[in-house]
Amino acid sequence: MENDLNLKATELRLGLPGSDEPERQMIPRPNKRTLSDIVSEGSRSTTEEDHQDTAPPAKVQIVGWPPVRSYRKNCLQGKKHEVEGGTGMYVKVSVDGAPYLRKIDLKVYRSYPQLLLALENMFKLTIGAYSEREGYNGSDYAPTYEDRDGDWMLVGDVPWEMFISSCKRLRIMKGSEARGLGCV
Amino acid sequence: MPKRLASSLSDEVLEHVFSFIQSEKDRNVVSAVCKSWYEIERWCRRKIFVGNCYAVSPEMVIRRFPQVRSIELKGKPHFADFNLVPDGWGGYVLPWITEMAGAYPWLDEIRLKRMVVTDESLELIAKSFKDFKVLVLASCEGFSTDGLAAIAASCKNLRELDLRESEVDDSSVHWLSHFPETYTSMVSLNISCLGSGEVSFSALERLVSRCPNLRSLKLNRAVPLDKTANILRLAPQLVEFSACTYSAELRSDVFSNLAGAFSNCKELRSLSGFWDVVPDYLPAIYSVCSRLTSLNLSYATILSPDLIKLVSHCPSLQRLLVLDYIEDSGLEALASNCKDLQELRVFPSDPFDAEPNASLTEQGLVAVSLGCPKLQSVLYFCRRMSNAALVTIAQNRPNLNRFRLCIIEPNTADYLTGEPFDVGFGAIVEHCKDLIRLSLSGLLTDCVFEYIGKYAKKLEMLSVAFAGDSDLGLHHVLSGCESLRKLEIRDCPFGDKALLTNAAKLETMQSLWMSSCSVSFEACKLLSQKMPRLNVEVIDERGPPDSRPENCTVDKLYIYRSVAGPRFDMPPFVWTKDEDLALRLSP
């Protein structure tokens, strides 16, 4: 199939008399930073740095993209603002080694055991029980959270109400780091 | 009896025959057979559809069709849904209502989409049409509950009031109470777009209890669970219901009341709403699930495990709208449980977050395409895709007629090969021969348009964004797609050449939208001069396009065919070739 239709030769253009149509500049495309970079490397286990130190670059929002109707956007976002205002109930949960983040609504849970069970179901892993002295000793995973001050704490260390009001995001650590957290 | 060329049948007989011809397309064909058929047909046409309210004037419609009972009008272009059309662009219904009020006293159905509807228009409708039955305002704006009160008070035979996805101002009028106590004809009521202040429960309950023919009820978000149960008990004959649920901790008395109410509804086939639903309440609907054909969970933040459970109870499902929380695993469950599925729409729960919010990839769509043999219509938002997946989908589902894929990040390539999606979408248009609607996304070169021009012969609507390399792309589409009616393009390097070369094609189409492309104002003026039956509107809020350098491109361009000539209600930011300021009257 020929690629070049040689429009000039067919002379059907309605160009301005005497003008040779100037090559229109291709409009600059938005930055090609794509998610495919992240996703295609999804199989490699992410390191601590990836999750903590690199804050996602401020995303320039393109008007009208993605094509989600305002009506729908308002419904979802309105809900988020209702819930997130002040108390930060929707928090992101990351799991070491998983390429996807989840968001959960802390308001739905009443206690640590409920929350931990939900996390176990969500990510198909075993966290086990918390003990004050040994943390999650014996488990490959340890749930941690970032509090208002930016410190990373072990989930369960503080009373539930205090946890709910200060938790900004959750991270389920894996491996030796996790086991190390048990022994304070 | 005067001799007729086409037939010796009398007018009455012909009219009777024509009354069996409902489809507009067929009616148009009938009217073109000969002059006498044209005359007979125009007198007995009862239903009019105007896809672009500016393509024709109300006077022209009335002149040709004097006895219309039902009209459907659409106003703004589709991209208005995504805030690409500035406020005040147009789409006012009042001139139509004004003309029809005088000409069609027996008009009983008005259906509007993307139009500006004022309270004045609604009051005029209420006053002018004695037997008014159906009012559908889809994605409309400009009116308040005052206007609704006028309708409620005056339209004694109103059967349908559907405000789907419209923006309604709250004027604090208890409009529902304006339905008189003697009013009992409601069949379909959709007020899901209304805010919490705008619906009185007691008025609603009284209305529902006195309308025995009520089949479809879509309430708004603010109705709590116990009220929901009450309303269902008052209307067990419902076929469609929009369930509104507060987020609340599970209370077993509320739960069993709700479950009981649902179990009474033997006719229920369609459920939607589900805002703020707590998964623990979902089993309350299990008793109706086996009969459900349509489920809209696209406002519900239920996660995959609960969605899977729900979907596994719904083997008769034909239509599912859902958020990406369903994930690939949920879609696999859907594919194995719902063999009658015809339409799937998966929306993004967090469209503006760079990070994926849920484990939804191309795999889910592939699973449904393989598992659901009746699948025809797809709308799918995701963050990664492969050509291989698209080819699989195309080969297995040649019966697709609507395929709209949105890969959220512009210019995303095939995650397996790094290639553009030319081959994948090419397979879609090649295999799906009945495709009438297509939306493209991801990294795409001019090649994909070559495929589309070559294969997509039945395509009527094409949406393109961030794609293509040159004018050739646009040229392929305009020269190849024989059935094309609507083309909407944004952020593509398409310019004057393709547009001017294919000027004649534009008159065979309903409309063309191009924003953030490479079209110059000069080309727009030239096109407009050459094609008097096209309205070429340059929408540019930056100021007069003439005042900028010659090769500066226009911001937005909307071209549509019209027999009504230039419109009289253009706002200051819409520029046409006519510098005549007299055309700029306020609406």
Side-chain angles (χ1 to χ4, degrees), chain B residues 453-488:
Chain B
K454 181 176 178 190
Y455 291 113
K457 295 306 181 188
K458 297 227 179 119
L459 192 66
E460 295 179 16
M461 183 167 178
L462 178 65
S463 309
V464 185
F466 305 103
D469 306 313
S470 73
D471 273 30
L472 219 48
L474 179 56
H475 176 75
H476 284 310
V477 172
L478 290 177
S479 57
C481 295
E482 290 161 5
S483 311
L484 197 62
R485 289 191 304 114
K486 290 190 268 193
L487 179 57
E488 46 185 28

Side-chain angles (χ1 to χ4, degrees), chain B residues 1-67:
Chain B
M1 199 184 290
K3 237 171 132 172
R4 280 176 186 73
L5 285 172
S7 111
S8 53
L9 295 170
S10 69
D11 285 7
E12 288 81 9
V13 172
L14 279 172
E15 203 177 304
H16 182 68
V17 170
F18 293 170
S19 69
F20 293 101
I21 301 169
Q22 306 287 349
S23 124
E24 217 200 44
K25 282 200 186 111
D26 291 340
R27 282 243 162 198
N28 289 342
V29 168
V30 159
S31 64
V33 166
C34 64
K35 283 203 178 109
S36 60
W37 281 33
Y38 177 94
E39 274 303 305
I40 297 165
E41 194 281 320
R42 79 181 185 89
W43 278 94
C44 65
R45 176 121 28 150
R46 297 284 176 262
K47 220 171 155 164
I48 301 284
F49 170 75
V50 181
N52 173 5
C53 65
Y54 291 119
V56 69
S57 73
E59 293 85 354
M60 289 166 122
V61 173
I62 291 167
R63 209 166 36 237
R64 179 171 171 192
F65 302 112
Q67 297 193 335

Side-chain angles (χ1 to χ4, degrees), chain B residues 91-99 115-118 120-122 124:
Chain B
Y92 306 103
V93 81
L94 187 59
W96 286 84
I97 307 292
T98 310
E99 290 301 317
M115 293 199 78
V116 178
V117 181
T118 55
E120 189 185 346
S121 306
L122 291 176
L124 195 52

Side-chain angles (χ1 to χ4, degrees), chain A residues 1 14 24 63 65 69 103, chain B residues 165 350 408 450 496 526:
Chain A
M1 170 84 75
L14 301 172
R24 296 290 171 220
V63 174
W65 190 266
R69 303 201 42 219
K103 283 210 190 117
Chain B
E165 293 164 1
D350 213 340
I408 290 178
E450 206 176 323
D496 300 346
L526 199 57

